[in-house]
Amino acid sequence: MRYRIRHVTRFTYEMPASQSHNELRLQPRDSLRQRTLAFRLDITPPAAVISYRDAFGNMVHAASVHPPHTELMVCAESLIQREAPRELLNKERFARFLCDDQRRSQENYDFLSPSRYIPFTDQLKKFFWLIRPRMNEPVADYSQRVVAWVRDQFAYEPGSTDVHSDVTQVLTTGAGVCQDFAHLTIGVFRLAGVPARYVSGYLAPKIDSGRPLGSQASHAWLEVLLPDGWFGFDPTHGARVTERHIRLAVGRDYADVPPIRGVYQSAGKHQTMGVALEISEEPADQSVQDYGATQQ
Amino acid sequence: MHSQIDVESYAPATAASVRNASATGTKLPFSQAYLPPPGLYDEMFTSTGEVRPHYAPILPLLRMRHDELDEMRITAERSLLHQGVTFNVYNGHAGIERIFPFDVIPRIIDYQTWSRLEAGLIQRVKALNAFVADVYGQGNILKDGLIPRDLILESAQYRRAVVGLKVPLDIFITIAGIDLVRGDDGNFRVLEDNVRTPSGVSYALENRAITAQLIPEVLRASGVRPIESYPADLLACLTELGSERFSDPTVALLTPGPFNSAFFEHVFLSQQMGIELVEGQDLVCKDHKLWMKTVHGLRRVHVLYRRIDDDFLDPVVFRADSLLGVAGLTAALRAGNVIVANAIGTGIADDKAVYAYTPDMIRYYLGEQPILPIVDTFLLRHREVREKVLRDLDQYVIKPTDASGGYGVVIGPHATERQLAELRSHIEREPHRYIAQLPVKLSVHPTFVSGADGKLSLTHRHIDLRPFVLFGQRPRVLAGGLTRVAMREGVLIVNSSQGGGSKDTWVLGPSC
């Protein structure tokens, strides 16, 4: 499937802002099953932009706007080729999987350790104990069991948490959004000894209506390292990812991959942020050259 | 009895005359007043009370009358105060600015000893630098399993924000302060590395200036290697790094401001180097370049000698609440438009847990045997080791892995029951944050100390040595370094922030 994505973030400042320095993680991250055919970043007022890869291999754009401005608009447009995710075929059991633990725990230390939004609290450990793996259970089956269980136990309730909530909040209130479900599920996997990482991305709507999606289509899920490599799971939907899941960036948790993070100077205290997201399916034969030289 | 000799008219003893004196077993008269402590290495005296040959140049000092010495001390302190040589103490009482207590008797290192130390220091900093480059680059030492990856990734000093960042000449560590101690066997060991923003060099330079003022003849006649070129050497290193990318690079020194413990040094060095001293508010990043605000408008900065911790350097990437740094600096680094010295993330090399692996590092990167040994170190993250150490906690020195400046160090043999109990619970809660070392019986040095009656007496005090190693296109080592003195009897922590004093440090030339 080919998707055209237009992700516009608009910051409006009460008083003029200046010296705005931002880190953007808005360029979709390629994998064997997802390819960025074109990417283009437009920033108004004009910004100085450089790009580099971060510690987790994500493409980061550093964008700075020096003169005073009352509005900052960041528009990221991508053309993505996405294949259906791989089948979960490997039936390796947990007991066997854990034999390899020493090497895995060294190589994937970051994705097996507690992180800012995923502290290994007693509450999380108790929750993990309810859904601990059985040694004769295939790791892949266990992974599916965990995400389905998380979806069953918690209510999807926008507003029940905020972007800076850690797993404690969702465990206490019993409700959260995709980010919380991802953090919580990652915590369970890490405690089980399965490396797990956070994915920020988009979920393309089922029917291409071209309707604006607001920030709704911004989504978060996770990937676990199974014997055959990384596999995506979406605990918000209690299932594997689909070809409609489009990856932006991966990290230990949300703190590593916010789409936009930055600072600016302003006499005013308030800013408002608006997000407009359009995702449409694109016929596969259409030329990809319409983004011109900005293809990366 | 002390013989009273006028320094002015006294020709300094030559090494030969002292050797002759030793050969015949002659002891100098003042040795009766000063007894080298048994079981400790005295820098100046042998265990039988004879003067070590390289200390011959300063014998006249010890023959001076108390009132002469007292006068010198007062002159020295007044001079330090007038020049504003002070340091600030955290966790202290009101009026935090203090002068750094200065002792008039210099510490002397002979030529052969120093040559070996110098080679060992260069070797060590070379390896530490290769390690930093590797950790933020290919990570070969981790892939090869020489250092556990988790030890690096969980270190509070590891900076994910600079993974993959390139620096000119592959020099991450431009300035290193390596703390050396001499044990009771007379051998120098590395106690710890300081490769973030090491301080103290200004005190070493000021101490020399005072010695030159107090005892110019003795200094001149002794063939002491000069150290005055340090600021020029530092500027040369910073400029060499800058010249790799820019023609005629501008260097500036970034200070956190007057409340920092080393503010005097920031002022001193910037003046000596003839570069701008700036605070975060004086800087701005524009178009991913670093600029300083001047009365003539923005002026480009190519090399930033920063004396601010990583955490405060850039609110975009590190602590968002920091006002000390400059927003956008990391992006400017990524763009290759500025050089920061020391580079961001070098603290991973002076993490106390990483210290335990430094001899392996030297063999791994340089294929050489370490010239300078380290102190026996135990990582408390390993359970068997931890249990063994916890059983005899009062036998060890315990250090937090990520602190510097002597903060948080507990010396088991000197700790109270309560301190040990507290420490035990800290270790059990976060074992990876601590290391244990066997206490080193630091060498001692004759030092003038005023007693309760206000009278000066010559007493032994523990000392260490912080040499400074600079790396640009080539290494440059300050001859000697800062000798710190624990001014209270028996105290082993010599850090200035822990109430230490200092001595001028002399390295003798090859002819001496």
Side-chain angles (χ1 to χ4, degrees):
Chain A
M1 192 65 74
R2 190 165 287 188
Y3 296 104
R4 186 177 294 273
I5 303 157
R6 190 178 145 84
H7 182 173
V8 182
T9 312
R10 194 186 298 265
F11 297 94
T12 315
Y13 305 101
E14 177 194 34
M15 301 281 280
S18 64
Q19 295 177 37
S20 171
H21 295 278
N22 306 278
E23 266 186 354
L24 316 175
R25 284 177 176 81
L26 289 167
Q27 177 168 336
R29 179 186 169 113
D30 282 3
S31 68
L32 288 174
R33 308 245 146 194
Q34 177 185 315
R35 209 150 51 88
T36 306
L37 303 174
F39 176 76
R40 169 181 171 138
L41 192 62
D42 282 309
I43 298 170
T44 325
V49 180
I50 58 151
S51 64
Y52 61 91
R53 291 210 182 270
D54 69 13
F56 302 100
N58 305 304
M59 182 60 86
V60 184
H61 290 86
S64 70
V65 177
H66 201 77
H69 51 281
T70 50
E71 188 182 274
L72 177 69
M73 196 184 73
V74 177
C75 174
E77 288 181 272
S78 332
L79 188 63
I80 297 298
Q81 181 67 38
R82 175 78 166 106
E83 313 300 334
R86 287 187 291 166
E87 294 288 325
L88 272 178
L89 297 173
N90 191 297
K91 289 288 171 191
E92 187 173 301
R93 291 167 202 278
F94 239 99
R96 172 100 181 69
F97 180 74
L98 291 179
C99 293
D100 211 11
D101 201 46
Q102 187 60 36
R103 191 179 54 86
R104 189 170 45 241
S105 64
Q106 277 299 309
E107 286 173 4
N108 295 284
Y109 184 80
D110 266 342
F111 302 125
L112 283 165
S113 305
S115 53
R116 169 132 37 121
Y117 293 120
I118 313 173
F120 288 178
T121 58
D122 287 343
Q123 218 177 351
L124 180 66
K125 288 175 190 164
K126 277 180 196 152
F127 182 74
F128 159 70
W129 192 243
L130 297 173
I131 183 82
R132 64 191 179 277
R134 294 182 288 262
M135 284 302 112
N136 60 356
E137 182 182 22
V139 193
D141 293 4
Y142 174 67
S143 305
Q144 288 184 302
R145 189 159 69 88
V146 170
V147 283
W149 157 270
V150 169
R151 184 65 194 95
D152 272 358
Q153 300 297 308
F154 296 91
Y156 184 89
E157 253 175 52
S160 55
T161 54
D162 65 47
V163 293
H164 299 302
S165 299
D166 69 20
V167 287
T168 310
Q169 266 111 324
V170 64
L171 282 168
T172 306
T173 62
V177 296
C178 56
Q179 177 179 327
D180 306 301
F181 292 168
H183 284 155
L184 180 58
T185 316
I186 289 168
V188 170
F189 281 123
R190 289 181 184 171
L191 286 170
V194 182
R197 64 189 188 188
Y198 184 93
V199 184
S200 87
Y202 306 116
L203 184 59
K206 268 203 176 97
I207 302 152
D208 175 27
S209 57
R211 70 196 151 95
L213 298 163
S215 58
Q216 294 303 310
S218 268
H219 194 44
W221 58 96
L222 60 108
E223 288 174 348
V224 291
L225 185 59
L226 300 179
D228 283 354
W230 292 96
F231 284 82
F233 288 88
D234 182 353
T236 308
H237 296 91
R240 286 289 317 281
V241 293
T242 65
E243 69 176 328
R244 295 186 297 111
H245 287 78
I246 301 157
R247 287 200 319 178
L248 271 178
V250 304
R252 288 167 297 175
D253 59 24
Y254 173 77
D256 286 332
V257 291
I260 301 182
R261 167 168 55 202
V263 302
Y264 60 90
Q265 292 202 342
S266 175
K269 283 191 169 55
H270 298 291
Q271 65 163 14
T272 51
M273 185 180 90
V275 176
L277 190 53
E278 292 164 36
I279 302 178
S280 54
E281 290 177 18
E282 195 89 348
D285 50 23
Q286 186 166 323
S287 162
V288 299
Q289 292 310 309
D290 50 355
Y291 286 107
T294 57
Q295 183 174 333
Q296 296 197 356
Chain B
M1 282 299 294
H2 293 251
S3 43
Q4 295 166 8
I5 292 173
D6 180 7
V7 176
E8 298 283 324
S9 63
Y10 184 86
T14 61
S17 70
V18 171
R19 263 197 299 276
N20 292 339
S22 309
T24 54
T26 311
K27 291 182 183 175
L28 294 157
F30 48 81
S31 62
Q32 287 156 7
Y34 177 87
L35 291 175
L40 293 173
Y41 184 88
D42 191 298
E43 297 280 345
M44 187 166 175
F45 292 93
T46 64
S47 53
T48 51
E50 282 151 37
V51 177
R52 297 182 195 278
H54 61 284
Y55 269 91
I58 60 151
L59 291 181
L61 271 185
L62 300 189
R63 293 173 179 154
M64 287 171 69
R65 291 192 316 269
H66 281 162
D67 59 321
E68 288 176 314
L69 286 165
D70 214 20
E71 200 174 305
M72 277 168 86
R73 194 178 57 136
I74 290 165
T75 311
E77 286 184 0
R78 198 174 293 145
S79 157
L80 287 167
L81 198 57
H82 281 170
Q83 291 173 57
V85 184
T86 57
F87 69 98
N88 299 336
V89 182
Y90 302 119
N91 305 331
H93 312 288
I96 52 172
E97 219 176 343
R98 289 171 34 183
I99 61 168
F100 203 64
F102 171 79
D103 184 61
V104 292
I105 306 179
R107 186 253 191 94
I108 305 181
I109 304 171
D110 65 85
Y111 178 75
Q112 284 77 10
T113 305
W114 176 253
S115 302
R116 197 168 158 278
L117 288 183
E118 188 174 49
L121 290 165
I122 291 172
Q123 177 195 54
R124 187 169 182 86
V125 177
K126 228 183 233 177
L128 291 176
N129 188 67
F131 170 70
V132 175
D134 190 17
V135 158
Y136 294 108
Q138 298 296 312
N140 290 325
I141 199 166
L142 310 179
K143 286 177 196 153
D144 290 345
L146 215 73
I147 296 180
R149 189 181 298 264
D150 53 308
L151 189 139
I152 302 303
L153 295 184
E154 76 188 4
S155 166
Q157 294 302 320
Y158 178 64
R159 303 278 176 255
R160 286 174 180 78
V162 293
V163 168
L165 194 65
K166 298 272 182 287
V167 302
L169 297 170
D170 265 339
I171 300 290
F172 288 76
I173 301 169
T174 312
I175 308 106
I178 308 294
D179 290 349
L180 303 178
V181 292
R182 203 168 200 180
D184 50 4
D185 57 0
N187 290 327
F188 278 97
R189 287 184 161 70
V190 177
L191 186 66
E192 61 184 55
D193 304 293
N194 296 276
V195 294
R196 292 178 239 171
T197 55
S199 61
V201 75
S202 58
Y203 306 118
L205 296 172
E206 283 290 350
N207 286 351
R208 176 60 53 84
I210 291 168
T211 319
Q213 183 187 334
L214 294 178
I215 44 171
E217 295 78 8
V218 183
L219 183 66
R220 206 176 306 129
S222 308
V224 178
R225 280 181 57 186
I227 58 173
E228 291 75 11
S229 68
Y230 179 86
D233 288 342
L234 174 56
L235 184 60
C237 286
L238 295 166
T239 307
E240 281 164 17
L241 294 184
S243 301
E244 288 294 304
R245 289 197 188 147
F246 316 103
S247 61
D248 195 17
T250 299
V251 184
L253 193 159
L254 174 63
T255 175
F259 295 105
N260 185 265
S261 66
F263 183 66
F264 160 75
E265 178 158 305
H266 307 161
V267 175
F268 177 91
L269 286 176
S270 60
Q271 283 175 352
Q272 294 283 312
M273 289 194 279
I275 63 172
E276 294 292 335
L277 178 69
V278 294
E279 294 185 32
Q281 62 196 19
D282 303 321
L283 297 173
V284 62
C285 284
K286 190 183 168 199
D287 298 331
H288 304 300
K289 297 182 178 83
L290 181 64
W291 308 82
M292 57 186 162
K293 302 168 190 168
T294 75
V295 285
H296 308 294
L298 294 184
R299 186 172 153 215
R300 182 82 186 272
V301 175
H302 300 94
V303 183
L304 192 63
Y305 173 35
R306 54 87 174 223
R307 297 292 300 256
I308 292 183
D309 290 343
D310 291 349
D311 263 346
F312 298 93
L313 269 181
D314 181 357
V316 180
V317 176
F318 302 109
R319 282 178 59 160
D321 58 347
S322 170
L323 301 172
L324 299 174
V326 50
L329 184 64
T330 317
L333 280 168
R334 288 278 182 189
N337 290 333
V338 66
I339 294 153
V340 166
N342 288 344
I344 295 176
T346 50
I348 192 63
D350 67 20
D351 182 292
K352 305 278 190 298
V354 169
Y355 165 89
Y357 294 92
T358 49
D360 296 332
M361 249 180 233
I362 291 168
R363 286 183 279 264
Y364 182 80
Y365 292 113
L366 309 179
E368 297 169 9
Q369 287 305 314
I371 297 170
L372 296 173
I374 64 168
V375 177
D376 290 333
T377 301
F378 307 95
L379 298 183
L380 299 183
R381 58 212 300 278
H382 301 310
R383 191 156 53 90
E384 314 83 70
V385 175
R386 181 166 68 245
E387 282 165 1
K388 183 171 174 291
V389 169
L390 284 176
R391 264 199 301 277
D392 300 304
L393 197 52
D394 58 352
Q395 306 291 310
Y396 293 91
V397 176
I398 306 291
K399 296 177 175 176
T401 54
D402 56 358
S404 65
Y407 289 98
V409 174
V410 177
I411 299 189
H414 298 179
T416 63
E417 281 299 320
R418 194 157 151 238
Q419 281 173 313
L420 288 175
E422 245 174 58
L423 180 64
R424 187 181 299 272
S425 77
H426 284 310
I427 292 172
E428 277 164 355
R429 212 174 316 130
E430 295 182 287
H432 63 273
R433 286 202 54 223
Y434 296 91
I435 58 157
Q437 292 177 335
L438 291 172
V440 181
K441 288 183 181 163
L442 300 194
S443 62
V444 294
H445 200 292
T447 303
F448 283 113
V449 175
S450 49
D453 54 359
K455 273 202 127 178
L456 278 182
S457 61
L458 194 60
T459 317
H460 55 85
R461 286 290 181 263
H462 290 293
I463 60 165
D464 80 345
L465 178 65
R466 174 177 288 185
F468 294 90
V469 183
L470 301 174
F471 261 85
Q473 269 167 353
R474 60 183 174 85
R476 297 168 171 90
V477 186
L478 180 138
L482 179 64
T483 293
R484 294 180 298 182
V485 188
M487 290 308 268
R488 281 173 293 153
E489 190 172 359
V491 169
L492 287 169
I493 301 181
V494 295
N495 300 60
S496 54
S497 35
Q498 308 294 334
S502 73
K503 284 175 174 295
D504 189 11
T505 308
W506 294 4
V507 171
L508 302 185
S511 53
C512 300

